[in-house]
Amino acid sequence: MSNTTPTADAETTPRPHDPAPAAPHELAPAADRVGHVETHGTEHIPAAERHGRPSGLFWVWMSANVGYLYFVVGGVLMLLGLPVWEALAITVAGNLWWALVGFLAVSGPVSGSPSVSIMRAMFGVRGNKVFGAGLGVLIGLFYEIINVAFATLAAIALLGHFGIALPAGGEWIALAVIGVLSFVIGVYGHATIMALAPWFSAALAVVFVLLAVFVFGAADWAYDVEPLPVADHWALVMLGFAIVASSPLSWGTGADYARYLPADVSKRAVAWYTALGGFIPAVLIGGLGVIAGTAIDMTDPQLTIGEIVPSWFTPIFLAMIVLSSITNNVLVAYSTGFYAQALAARISRAATTVVTGFIATAIAGWLLFLSPSFLDTLSASLELSVTVFGPLVAIYAIDIVLRRNRYDGAALDDQRRGSPFWYRGGVFLPGVIAMVVGMTVAVLMANTTLYVGPISAALDGADFSALAGPLLGAGVYALLWRTTAPYRDPAKRPNGRPAEASADIIETDAAASRTEGVHA
């Protein structure tokens, strides 16, 4: 197979007799139009339907991450008893994992497929239903629940601020309205998300800039904490790092939003725009939460924020919580719909988005109104979630490296017995083993408010799960990948021809592709 990627799709390359050099890849196909429900699901996007620019990814990720959750996480670091400068450093260090999220996104334009389909290359057709789609649904539901809960609490507080008393059971109506708003945009899909993202980003950014003015004006710059024994101190540092890292490590779905881009776009641009769209707001808003923790009790900032902001800003702050939680849920719901569709292929992506959204809303209601320990459950869940997210995204990343980012979207769509990614019994053992090993060690190293792993206990409470899980998962996978069939025998390797190649290039490369396959 040729190692070169086509420089342009045949349909969009200007020819001498074209009346004008129309901007390439700008017109959206009928399957992906603003205001219409996207018809594509987990299948790959044909070359003729690719459009857009990598820069659009920045606004998509910005709109999803200019969010209240980061403000809360920054406050959690202060509640742990960390000095301000250390909390700020941890905020930056933990969010460096966004670079990995950006790297995963480069698999989207090459394959034209969402992340859950690409993961069939790592786990096999059947193995992916557990370690790709199965875990993906659980991860997606987890964050959907968080967002719906935050938005509902803020909405109820906002109504109370204006003197609107809810009747008995009215909180459930508020929950239902938030649930609908949280998932309707995700149902419409890619084009609508891309069109609304810059507007959401701008509106939320203005509110956070105003909030920053008030927070910095009220900050206690002489804030200090009591020193702790060295072992206890580093245990808190690593715990804080795990909490911060849990957010970027949960986004193993970068390909979902990059898959409509033409295959010849700059992969470096795809990675940078994706990573910066998440990193910048996460660091700035997380840092703002840290600074706010010097002035107010961050146990419940939506109530205590009134101590440092003027009264007119309080409803704006609450409205920001509602909007930011919904915008984050747009991306979460969209990807969760893909994961669920990979488990139930006969159901459309729009339908799976609705079903998972309903489930998340119901669980959020139970946690908010029937369970007395929502915040404790949230904190422990964030601390433990990294034990699953870390190995998963690391295996994904190292697979991109090992395959040189060569994924055939058409081959990934083929789930029949004996298909290229069926492997043995539908399972690719290197991916499964690496996930089990990475998750097991990460759990043993975890230190949360509800659980302390034996390795963490032996290390005086230090939590290395956010580092050990990803590194071990990637290392085990890379080792087994190179020593397990079909990679010892090139003739047995799945076809890795880029599915995005135009028809004439496919025909000329077909013979070489059949004999050469994927080169590790």
Side-chain angles (χ1 to χ4, degrees):
M1 186 184 89
S2 172
N3 287 339
T4 58
T5 301
T7 57
D9 292 335
E11 302 152 351
T12 57
T13 303
R15 289 176 171 78
H17 301 292
D18 286 344
H25 318 310
E26 289 301 311
L27 297 178
D32 183 44
R33 290 183 295 164
V34 177
H36 296 262
V37 175
E38 179 189 357
T39 58
H40 281 303
T42 56
E43 75 277 8
H44 79 285
I45 308 300
E49 298 188 32
R50 306 291 192 88
H51 62 282
R53 299 175 182 273
S55 57
L57 296 173
F58 177 81
W59 298 111
V60 169
W61 289 98
M62 175 73 82
S63 68
N65 289 285
V66 181
Y68 177 62
L69 179 60
Y70 294 114
F71 189 71
V72 173
V73 168
V76 168
L77 297 181
M78 299 303 288
L79 293 175
L80 291 177
L82 295 169
V84 173
W85 72 269
E86 282 192 355
L88 292 173
I90 291 169
T91 299
V92 174
N95 281 301
L96 288 176
W97 283 113
W98 279 105
L100 187 62
V101 178
F103 182 68
L104 299 185
V106 304
S107 60
V110 168
S111 64
S113 302
S115 295
V116 70
S117 297
I118 298 170
M119 289 180 186
R120 291 179 186 132
M122 297 146 226
F123 303 113
V125 171
R126 285 178 171 171
N128 186 56
K129 291 184 181 297
V130 176
F131 294 97
L135 287 178
V137 168
L138 294 177
I139 293 169
L141 285 173
F142 171 66
Y143 276 95
E144 286 180 3
I145 292 166
I146 291 175
N147 286 322
V148 170
F150 276 152
T152 301
L153 289 173
I156 293 173
L158 182 61
L159 292 173
H161 180 83
F162 290 111
I164 301 175
L166 293 175
E171 67 274 11
W172 289 93
I173 298 176
L175 173 73
V177 172
I178 292 296
V180 172
L181 294 175
S182 291
F183 301 109
V184 65
I185 298 175
V187 170
Y188 276 93
H190 176 267
T192 303
I193 293 172
M194 298 292 289
L196 294 177
W199 299 99
F200 286 148
S201 300
L204 292 169
V206 168
V207 177
F208 272 107
V209 168
L210 288 174
L211 177 62
V213 172
F214 301 129
V215 168
F216 276 81
D220 179 5
W221 299 107
Y223 181 88
D224 199 5
V225 296
E226 292 291 330
L228 294 172
V230 174
D232 293 342
H233 174 77
W234 280 104
L236 289 178
V237 168
M238 295 308 301
L239 175 59
F241 178 80
I243 292 173
V244 174
S246 66
S247 185
L249 286 176
S250 69
W251 288 107
T253 57
D256 296 3
Y257 315 99
R259 76 192 200 286
Y260 272 100
L261 293 174
D264 62 341
V265 296
S266 167
K267 305 307 182 292
R268 181 173 297 180
V270 169
W272 274 108
Y273 279 121
T274 298
L276 290 177
F279 177 82
I280 291 174
V283 169
L284 293 181
I285 298 172
L288 192 61
V290 170
I291 301 301
T294 68
I296 61 174
D297 180 5
M298 290 295 285
T299 302
D300 192 357
Q302 73 179 29
L303 295 179
T304 56
I305 197 69
E307 300 173 12
I308 60 173
V309 302
S311 59
W312 62 264
F313 185 76
T314 300
I316 297 176
F317 178 77
L318 293 173
M320 176 275 297
I321 297 175
V322 175
L323 180 59
S324 65
S325 299
I326 290 174
T327 57
N328 187 271
N329 245 2
V330 169
L331 263 65
V332 176
Y334 185 62
S335 291
T336 305
F338 283 130
Y339 283 124
Q341 191 187 26
L343 294 174
R346 295 185 179 181
I347 304 177
S348 70
R349 180 212 48 90
T352 56
T353 301
V354 171
V355 171
T356 53
F358 176 81
I359 294 172
T361 302
I363 296 175
W366 178 80
L367 287 172
L368 285 175
F369 308 132
L370 302 177
S371 172
S373 56
F374 169 66
L375 291 178
D376 290 341
T377 302
L378 169 63
S379 178
S381 299
L382 285 174
E383 294 160 9
L384 277 173
S385 62
V386 73
T387 63
V388 176
F389 305 157
L392 183 62
V393 298
I395 290 169
Y396 191 164
I398 201 65
D399 190 76
I400 293 175
V401 174
L402 292 169
R403 296 178 195 270
R404 297 194 215 172
N405 195 28
R406 294 179 182 174
Y407 297 99
D408 182 347
L412 289 165
D413 287 345
D414 189 352
Q415 301 182 61
R416 298 170 297 177
R417 185 182 299 272
S419 60
F421 296 100
W422 184 260
Y423 298 112
R424 180 174 297 179
V427 175
F428 190 42
L429 284 178
V432 172
I433 293 172
M435 271 299 295
V436 171
V437 171
M439 287 191 303
T440 300
V441 173
V443 168
L444 295 176
M445 287 187 165
N447 180 359
T448 76
T449 53
L450 299 179
Y451 162 82
V452 178
I455 296 179
S456 176
L459 297 174
D460 294 323
D463 184 340
F464 289 98
S465 58
L467 293 175
L471 293 176
L472 192 58
V476 171
Y477 182 76
L479 177 64
L480 295 179
W481 194 93
R482 292 185 176 279
T483 59
T484 305
Y487 299 101
R488 290 195 303 264
D489 183 358
K492 296 180 180 178
R493 295 173 183 170
N495 177 22
R497 171 184 50 77
E500 78 285 347
S502 55
D504 54 337
I505 296 176
I506 290 176
E507 290 175 1
T508 57
D509 283 353
S513 296
R514 285 193 295 269
T515 57
E516 181 184 4
V518 179
H519 289 275

